[in-house]
Amino acid sequence: MGKNVVVIGTQWGDEGKGKIVDLLTERTAAVVRFQGGHNAGHTVVIDGRKTVLHLIPSGILRENVLCLIGNGVVLSPSSLIEEMDMLEKSGYPVRDRLRISEACPLILPYHRYYKTRVLDFQALLDEAMQAAEVIAPMVTDVSARLYDIQDSGGNILFEGAQGTLLDIDHGTYPYVTSSNTTSGGAATGTGVGPRHFDYILGITKAYTTRVGSGPFPTELFDDMGEHLARRGHEFGATTGRPRRCGWFDAVALRRSVQINSISGLCITKLDVLDELESIRICIGYRINGEQRDTPPVGADAFAECEPVYEEHPGWCSSTVGVRSYQDLPENAKLYLQRIEAITATPVDIVSTGSDRQETIILRHPFDSVTD
């Protein structure tokens, strides 16, 4: 039997899932997107060449990897075809590698227009039929294909979009997305039962960011926030909007670990902290004079949270491109170990740069699962 690994974001999105999915697909037969739509933006960098994906799974750049779009993805045909064209112009045989669930809900032009303008029925029909000619040959029963791959011994990667704290049920509602971004969405968004998931990898940025409105307890409004944004190139891959930046929030991460049954963490963008003499971790929230170590439910209560910090010495040396844990500065190791201790979850992967190869793998997700 093959192994199934789920990759999800543990914060408010933009954690670096695209790079890690691309990296792990070296060991997979298939990668499947299970929720979200073309509002997602996953960035993959290979040998300095950047590719931004929105609907198509991040394994599309790999040969011999089947890429699937599950029924939980809201599919815009025009956006998909535009993305296909971009990849095909770069030499990737998308139509050979990509398959799409026959149960995907569609976003069609008239959904965008709704009551804002008079619709030309014939023009909309013609556009839909042209899109169908491109997409129909790639439509398949994704659930059945996934079970066949697993039964034949192939590994499967389930790729989430956005992040846990944007989940429509468990996030900071109403400042959330319109889908379940937690690991449970991997089951409902593909038709694979929860018992078949072997390992859940939580992608976690070494600090915290958020795009758009909504509560953000550790947000920084000073020079430090600007420093993190500048060093981390914190602009949305899809919208281009600047991301709000703040210190690492271990309280919110504890909740993500719980509701996702996370097996291990991947810490990304560690190198953004390289120049800092002192680094903070939020270990609790203070609400109405009382301290708690779990976040409240709902955006209003979340907005009332005051972060409780502990201070850690920085390492003031470069970690860019480091590929061995032993080569990390001692204080960087201590920072990672503290994250492990606070969340009671092992750090299995560390990303030290944007390129596929700039990664430390301490425990490979496909090696760590057992029969």
Side-chain angles (χ1 to χ4, degrees):
M1 293 285 288
K3 301 299 184 181
N4 293 335
V5 170
V6 181
V7 174
I8 52 104
T10 62
Q11 298 161 308
W12 279 289
D14 309 308
E15 300 94 348
K17 296 178 292 297
K19 169 193 169 172
I20 302 303
V21 170
D22 166 72
L23 175 71
L24 296 180
T25 49
E26 183 179 19
R27 299 273 297 273
T28 66
V31 55
V32 54
R33 269 282 303 274
F34 60 82
Q35 51 78 218
H38 63 283
N39 57 332
H42 291 178
T43 302
V44 177
V45 180
I46 302 172
D47 297 328
R49 181 182 178 185
K50 182 170 76 171
T51 302
V52 179
L53 302 167
H54 302 281
L55 278 166
I56 296 174
S58 298
I60 197 69
L61 308 184
R62 294 273 193 183
E63 294 182 8
N64 304 315
V65 173
L66 179 64
C67 291
L68 300 161
I69 296 178
N71 60 275
V73 175
V74 180
L75 188 72
S76 165
S78 59
S79 297
L80 175 64
I81 292 171
E82 181 179 346
E83 193 168 333
M84 290 173 59
D85 289 344
M86 177 270 294
L87 289 167
E88 288 175 342
K89 288 177 181 176
S90 297
Y92 297 105
V94 178
R95 295 166 207 243
D96 295 337
R97 299 178 183 177
L98 181 65
R99 295 295 178 266
I100 302 163
S101 171
E102 55 196 349
C104 280
L106 300 180
I107 298 177
L108 298 173
Y110 67 85
H111 292 134
R112 296 195 297 271
Y113 302 150
Y114 202 43
K115 296 180 180 180
T116 60
R117 55 182 284 188
V118 177
L119 302 180
D120 184 333
F121 172 79
Q122 190 60 51
L124 291 172
L125 178 62
D126 291 343
E127 181 179 343
M129 295 307 294
Q130 290 173 4
E133 291 181 7
V134 176
I135 295 173
M138 296 183 288
V139 172
T140 191
D141 184 337
V142 165
S143 179
R145 292 291 291 270
L146 291 171
Y147 276 99
D148 288 343
I149 292 168
Q150 186 180 19
D151 286 345
S152 65
N155 293 330
I156 303 170
L157 201 62
F158 294 74
E159 179 181 12
Q162 288 97 26
T164 294
L165 301 178
L166 294 174
D167 186 275
I168 191 169
D169 293 312
H170 299 284
T172 51
Y173 187 89
Y175 305 101
V176 293
T177 192
S178 56
S179 64
N180 286 114
T181 58
T182 48
S183 58
T188 57
T190 63
V192 173
R195 187 168 58 85
H196 294 284
F197 297 125
D198 300 286
Y199 178 104
I200 298 168
L201 179 65
I203 313 299
T204 307
K205 200 175 287 186
Y207 48 101
T208 309
T209 63
R210 180 166 195 168
V211 172
S213 302
F216 184 179
T218 65
E219 184 173 10
L220 295 169
F221 300 95
D222 55 11
D223 292 343
M224 182 59 68
E226 293 180 3
H227 172 82
L228 294 175
R230 183 174 61 256
R231 280 295 308 270
H233 306 289
E234 295 296 352
F235 297 92
T238 300
T239 65
R241 289 187 296 175
R243 298 177 185 135
R244 301 152 63 191
C245 296
W247 293 119
F248 189 90
D249 190 337
V251 183
L253 183 58
R254 284 195 198 101
R255 176 60 57 85
S256 292
V257 167
Q258 293 168 358
I259 63 179
N260 288 298
S261 299
I262 288 177
S263 310
L265 297 172
C266 168
I267 303 298
T268 63
K269 290 199 169 183
L270 184 69
D271 55 293
V272 174
L273 306 180
D274 282 351
E275 298 177 3
L276 304 184
E277 295 183 359
S278 181
I279 300 169
R280 288 182 164 188
I281 296 178
C282 173
I283 59 170
Y285 293 156
R286 189 173 288 111
I287 308 175
N288 299 323
E290 296 184 0
Q291 185 169 328
R292 58 187 295 168
D293 59 6
T294 57
V297 176
D300 291 342
F302 219 110
E304 298 298 319
C305 294
E306 178 186 349
V308 177
Y309 289 116
E310 63 179 25
E311 203 91 11
H312 292 265
W315 43 93
C316 296
S317 57
S318 178
T319 62
V320 176
V322 173
R323 301 185 189 183
S324 168
Y325 183 79
Q326 300 306 317
D327 292 337
L328 288 174
E330 194 61 33
N331 283 347
K333 296 178 191 175
L334 293 173
Y335 183 71
L336 296 173
Q337 291 166 14
R338 184 57 181 149
I339 291 173
E340 290 183 316
I342 297 172
T343 61
T345 309
V347 172
D348 287 344
I349 300 175
V350 182
S351 173
T352 58
S354 59
D355 197 271
R356 176 192 283 172
Q357 303 303 324
E358 295 175 326
T359 312
I360 300 169
I361 299 180
L362 298 169
R363 185 174 71 138
H364 199 288
F366 287 109
D367 289 336
S368 63
V369 294
T370 57
D371 292 317

